[in-house]
Amino acid sequence: MKDRTDIRLALPSKGRMESEALDFLKACGLDVFKPNPRQYQARIPAVPGLTVLFQRPGDIVVGVRQGSLDFGISGTDLIEEKKGGDGDVFILHDSLGFGTCSLVMAVPEGWEGVRSVADLARKAPGMPKEGKPLRVATKYSVLTARFLREKKVEPFELIASEGTLEVAPAIGYADMISDLVSTGTTLRDNHLLPLKNGEIIRSQACLIANRAALKARPEVLEAAHTLLEYIEAYLRAQEAYIVFANMRGKSQQEIAAKIFDQTDLGGLQGPTVCEVFTRAGGKQEWFAVNIVVRKEKIVRAVQQLRAIGGSGVVVSPVTYIFEEEPARFVRMREELGK
Amino acid sequence: MKDRTDIRLALPSKGRMESEALDFLKACGLDVFKPNPRQYQARIPAVPGLTVLFQRPGDIVVGVRQGSLDFGISGTDLIEEKKGGDGDVFILHDSLGFGTCSLVMAVPEGWEGVRSVADLARKAPGMPKEGKPLRVATKYSVLTARFLREKKVEPFELIASEGTLEVAPAIGYADMISDLVSTGTTLRDNHLLPLKNGEIIRSQACLIANRAALKARPEVLEAAHTLLEYIEAYLRAQEAYIVFANMRGKSQQEIAAKIFDQTDLGGLQGPTVCEVFTRAGGKQEWFAVNIVVRKEKIVRAVQQLRAIGGSGVVVSPVTYIFEEEPARFVRMREELGK
Amino acid sequence: MKDRTDIRLALPSKGRMESEALDFLKACGLDVFKPNPRQYQARIPAVPGLTVLFQRPGDIVVGVRQGSLDFGISGTDLIEEKKGGDGDVFILHDSLGFGTCSLVMAVPEGWEGVRSVADLARKAPGMPKEGKPLRVATKYSVLTARFLREKKVEPFELIASEGTLEVAPAIGYADMISDLVSTGTTLRDNHLLPLKNGEIIRSQACLIANRAALKARPEVLEAAHTLLEYIEAYLRAQEAYIVFANMRGKSQQEIAAKIFDQTDLGGLQGPTVCEVFTRAGGKQEWFAVNIVVRKEKIVRAVQQLRAIGGSGVVVSPVTYIFEEEPARFVRMREELGK
Amino acid sequence: MKDRTDIRLALPSKGRMESEALDFLKACGLDVFKPNPRQYQARIPAVPGLTVLFQRPGDIVVGVRQGSLDFGISGTDLIEEKKGGDGDVFILHDSLGFGTCSLVMAVPEGWEGVRSVADLARKAPGMPKEGKPLRVATKYSVLTARFLREKKVEPFELIASEGTLEVAPAIGYADMISDLVSTGTTLRDNHLLPLKNGEIIRSQACLIANRAALKARPEVLEAAHTLLEYIEAYLRAQEAYIVFANMRGKSQQEIAAKIFDQTDLGGLQGPTVCEVFTRAGGKQEWFAVNIVVRKEKIVRAVQQLRAIGGSGVVVSPVTYIFEEEPARFVRMREELGK
Amino acid sequence: MKDRTDIRLALPSKGRMESEALDFLKACGLDVFKPNPRQYQARIPAVPGLTVLFQRPGDIVVGVRQGSLDFGISGTDLIEEKKGGDGDVFILHDSLGFGTCSLVMAVPEGWEGVRSVADLARKAPGMPKEGKPLRVATKYSVLTARFLREKKVEPFELIASEGTLEVAPAIGYADMISDLVSTGTTLRDNHLLPLKNGEIIRSQACLIANRAALKARPEVLEAAHTLLEYIEAYLRAQEAYIVFANMRGKSQQEIAAKIFDQTDLGGLQGPTVCEVFTRAGGKQEWFAVNIVVRKEKIVRAVQQLRAIGGSGVVVSPVTYIFEEEPARFVRMREELGK
Amino acid sequence: MKDRTDIRLALPSKGRMESEALDFLKACGLDVFKPNPRQYQARIPAVPGLTVLFQRPGDIVVGVRQGSLDFGISGTDLIEEKKGGDGDVFILHDSLGFGTCSLVMAVPEGWEGVRSVADLARKAPGMPKEGKPLRVATKYSVLTARFLREKKVEPFELIASEGTLEVAPAIGYADMISDLVSTGTTLRDNHLLPLKNGEIIRSQACLIANRAALKARPEVLEAAHTLLEYIEAYLRAQEAYIVFANMRGKSQQEIAAKIFDQTDLGGLQGPTVCEVFTRAGGKQEWFAVNIVVRKEKIVRAVQQLRAIGGSGVVVSPVTYIFEEEPARFVRMREELGK
């Protein structure tokens, strides 16, 4: 294979992760167009020159690591399991806000006296029957082994499995498991107990890149910049509304001052205040105020506006909030020394 | 069961009503999170402390009435059927805008001379065969009996049924029915005729609360306040756009005056008018106007703006319009004497 | 049939075209309400008096042409195939942006030396076996015949087919085809090659009207006006965001001047610039700027804003952008001499 | 309504019960033809003159009881709940083999010392708080009240509910429930415990008839006869195979005797034994045996056949096994005195 | 295209007709294997050398007529519409038992005095307004024109349409229609009335062949033979069961005689009667009888068997009943003179 | 975990393999009952004492090998990949007839001169770029490595992948692949060429058992016996019909002799021939014949029967054909020395 000149971003193929990744990118303004449902390539018009591929989340980490991919979206769990120690996998964004789950240690409910990892560490040396160590079924052998050693749960043997880990203890395939959970219902249905302090890693979707490509190819660096601009501005905007209100007052300064007195008001730099014209005419007593407010505080903010004479509060959605250069891009340049 | 300290809102379980209620709340900013699809509880982050339950619409009315629920969403039909006469069910909002239908009286098309409730009242005394009174199949015996008595359609006998009411007359299960209709197609398919003046009640989704809880528990009152803030502001915003336009004119006052002359313009308090800067520079002739317009009048409003020199009209969506305290909340406090 | 007094718009029934048309109209603010799923009529509240019908795209063109319909949405392909030469079908809008496809000529991959229409024209005279001319299977006989004659591919015979055109050559039903393609995958699967320069027509959804109705009935003309107002304003808004930013500067004029220096900034008429009030108070150094920017340039626009001192950039969605009278409506009036 | 001359069978409308009833009847050879999916009538060609209606299972019992229906298929639970004490509902077949479930008493897992109905009876008198008796939510008030009185669980109050019974105790709507269960999973998910000896009734689909119609109308009696012929012959055949085997032996008698010695062989009247002709010709040593064997014993029967010289065992399916007059029809005539 | 050496059978592609044809062939033992869902070819292992293609039903008739197909399955409606007058389309089997529908004439319910074709013929000459003849929308112009001329409904004009014929009169696209109906519900929904004596053709799936191929290619004739063997034997077996019964009697002759006395018994050639061996042993009194009975008479046949001493009646399914050479194959050879 | 006393059979969980396995077992008479869809256990009433579990096909092989499972159904591919060299996995049945696929070597279409494994072996030594050996992406490293070594394709490096192997060469993740194919379409879509002689293994579903359990636990041996009885008898019956025909002839011997002369007739041991009684009575000339015929020869067999005087041929389905002890069970006992 000759040296590539294209720029590649791999997205998870199949399942909830694929649809969530596509929905997320679309919401960011990074719509993915797949000209033909039977081909494996797509493109994102907002990032010209970027080729999108679809792969399994685990293969994405390996591909970014070995350099056959420039960018990828995958979960923290698989990234930490497969990124290796050479630093080839650079994490551009570690909290895209979807694909959340946890990797946890779980034991049969019936195990007497084992409720926490500490209990397990105490009992592990004596547990094996007939010389066989504690058998842990998992799909995450790197993370699980590291965790067990850190917590001094020894000796142990890891048993790989393709699926249905949660039945492994019941059928004697293993003694306990280290598995992904989201709601815990599956564990409970199979009479397994997640151990206290037994969360190995909390995972969500991340954007990763090949470090060498970022350093060597300016067009890859530029694509990272563009992706982070859209993603950061979108995620910030997710939390906010833009609020237009009318307020009665003597002057623009007085209005601004009243607003500063309220804890949940005050825009990014301070409110915009303009005159409003009423049918009554005559001397101006009304001003239009325009501020950005956090979504979760919208009702409290409105109540504060009312308290200081505001009314006619109109709230509109926000698509993006851009600040200075994307924080993560700045950090990346520092780390790469560029 | 000990006294509850939680705050409960019950939503309809199953069917079109469930999905419409969830969509409505999400649109209001009151997203419902159900951590586990197999459990019956959920929460609404925008109203901390509120527990969401899923129940049948009829059980919701009963639960609110007996106090095992604080709030509920159900239809006018079931609320009026089951709320009883003790005033325990307080209607916080009576027109959430979804789940609309009508409860109507319908007779076989073949009944000679029976086209209206008046006809029915005239014929009812002589209709029974062999001493049996007019048999009416229904699931709403309270509302139907009250309606028949008011309209002097007597004597009658109500026959309860679980479903497929519309075939009851054809198979001799009853003589006529009192049933919910939305489009009337099912009645026509079964050769039934809805009677003139035979609409017993027109129904849509409502938000109800337990009166005693509103009075006795301040945290329930506070939750009612928050729910109504979101719901009223959302419903008001549904009907409006925010319009940004440029207008040529001599002064801000002149622009405002022109706008007041147009019937479909004029914001909540009067337009916001600012200067605009053109490439030409020099003396300023353009101003930016910012008003709120009703959706249904948007094209007429734009045409009026053009007529008075407006151009470059940009229209953006509105998420909420908050006015003074929610009207329904104010009314509620008055009724409760708080 | 007596003379109609209603105003009719026909939409494609069934398939992707129906759902895309409904989605498009909804996005324009022209929501279609179908009171009863089993009836063939609907209405659009935003255009009072308009009756919506659902028909096959080809029948829509014929209906508009013969005057049983006033308006219709159909594809360029069928409009050109069926509109006839009498000018009865008036194209109000020729690029609604959905339903795109191409009508192309395709031959079996195995035909030696036939890669373009020119090749075909050269070989056609000698191709027929035993006196039979080149047989072309198609559903578009008018367009295909016209194209073949223009390109001097003669002699030929057209063979009508209801479906599965792409297998026609393989089973000897015809020698080649003229068929709609979107991705080309179906052609390739059947070992057919689209000819170079063989695209007969590129198609997308259009809004058409009966010319006589536009001229004779003022209420039809008014409906055309309203439809085009919504459609043009929506399509224009699809491409834009409204941007609110804060900028540090000496005066409104200075800010405006800086913005004019940037290629991707500058609103429809020039930016709106207002004062912003900071907590620091004292002499004012910050101004709020409000401009409309094309979606595809949003990141570049933000970077230019930053370069001239902008920060706190808030981007909101735009529902409509109205300019002067809809361009297509003006053109229509000119053509109709009204 | 005038006297009916048609013969009516009502089937459950909607849900699993409808499809299971249709599948069952089809398997019996009583295929149901519904000419039009939007009408409520159908017919069964194998029983000429029979009209099939679709209704809710509970309404079917009421309709058979009041005589607007002649036959119906419904569950034991609803039949016992709604058949009343007048004997109008005659149970023609009480075990059609589908629609199985149980009505059981269940209490919150957390109730100390309540594991059986006896525990409940002991604790009930003292359980009410503030004078309110034990509240039991149920949809089966007749059966539940009778059961509670028989078991001396008193005092109690029944609370009707439309659905989601299993959450009633958790939300304080009732103290415990009497509900249908199939697998018990839903109870466990809601932390409810089915009481020991708390099964009120075990239910499955039954065929019922109006007693007066059976007595007064010979055509209804004849339809009952035909329905039971098909149903009984089908259910009996469900359990059997017809077995054709070759056996080496001296004579037909010897073969028959050998078969009689085996516990799992022997047809309804004794095996059919014929000569078989082998290629070898000469003196006949092989005989063909033909017996009916129960499905569940097929492998054991084959092993016994092998043990006595059988081979080449061919097993075919059986559609019906008719014996003398259908047992249930005979019993019905006796009960009705016909 | 060179001369074909393969043997082709075309099946309807898409919709109910495709799945019914595949189900029918599978039930006949002519399972269709499609190695790859994306290709248009399949095969039927039971008829080696046969290639299966999938096409639209109308194209199948044309393909069989022009000889690009040897066999096809299509509906009577399309065959009669498109087979032409040259006899190239030979109907091998005219009643495969699926795909049934009718082509009927229907008029708006509101037409005064038009209830039958005779009414229409009487009124047609005077009906046209302003010199335009009666306009009939249809997809079957050959059959409709022939029918109208035969019934002397003149003058008329046919209007072709792609779909939604049933709305054509309401929107003025035509005055009446000639359309396919199955249940009549769609007509009624659109206020159309099927005319008395207005059924143009009753249609069901047929097996057709190219006459020239049957005559010239022995392998095509052989395939026709095999297809008809399976189809006729399957259709005959659909109506029958094989019955095994035990009867008490003196001799085989006596048993046979008793059976002949019963109208619904008696196999194809007479019953098979064998001895049965009972546990009692001693003199033989039981015989096994084996006959074929029509499905619709099974209960009556069993009752007759019981009446003459039968019991233990076991009924098994029948897959095929072969008689002498397939009747339709014999007839075909005669017609073709082979 | 203590020693198990249950008997376990694991079936594939999820996907086509699960449904095919359940369908296959049901067709064999080994219906699987899963009392609760949320639990992982089920049972097979026909094999009392057997517990059914659901696991991934690969885990099934490992579980049978390590002894946590007694029986399993999995594919040849995974069995050969994971069974190891210790003989713990005993293959009871190697051709259950479903789940068929092939593991093949495939290279990019564009590789010059590489069309067969021999070509690859010739080119492999020189192919690596910059010292990296030929990289083969696969999920079957054991089978692939063994195959490459046998075919002398060296040096090579295997690259593990979770999925989407077919895009690996295009994106540089590997040079070529070793992957499962069923129709080859996916390979072609990705421009990959399966190599001549490159089929590593042809796979289908097999029944496997733990060798030690078969030897040590008689109840496991007995379950193996029962499973093989059902499976072998079912698979044999799949290919056959039972045929009942009437034949004219002088004697039973003459009939039998005629039948023996026909190649496609003759049952397992010879036909059963009985007298038939005709209405004519008098001297008997008709006999009933009963033979088993292979499905694929049914038409030829009928034609041969007709040729020797047969008529009235009735064909019934066969559920099982049992012969002597199941061949595979006998072989197993020999191998195990039992």
Side-chain angles (χ1 to χ4, degrees), chain E residues 139-171:
Chain E
K139 294 175 193 164
Y140 294 84
S141 38
V142 172
L143 291 172
T144 302
R146 186 193 304 158
F147 182 84
L148 289 171
R149 278 191 209 102
E150 274 173 25
K151 303 297 181 186
K152 313 253 182 265
V153 180
E154 288 170 309
F156 64 84
E157 178 193 356
L158 298 184
I159 298 191
S161 170
E162 291 170 39
T164 53
L165 275 183
E166 61 276 8
V167 307
I171 64 172

Side-chain angles (χ1 to χ4, degrees), chain B residues 60-121:
Chain B
I60 289 173
V61 183
V62 175
V64 168
R65 187 180 174 191
Q66 60 155 227
S68 61
L69 298 169
D70 301 306
F71 298 102
I73 286 180
S74 191
T76 325
D77 54 346
L78 289 161
I79 294 167
E80 293 304 316
E81 177 74 19
K82 305 196 169 208
K83 75 175 180 187
D86 48 19
D88 288 340
V89 174
F90 190 96
I91 298 175
L92 285 176
H93 201 297
D94 64 356
S95 48
L96 300 181
F98 62 92
T100 52
C101 58
S102 283
L103 180 63
V104 303
M105 306 291 302
V107 299
E109 281 176 2
W111 280 19
E112 288 291 320
V114 180
R115 290 291 170 270
S116 69
V117 171
D119 296 341
L120 190 66

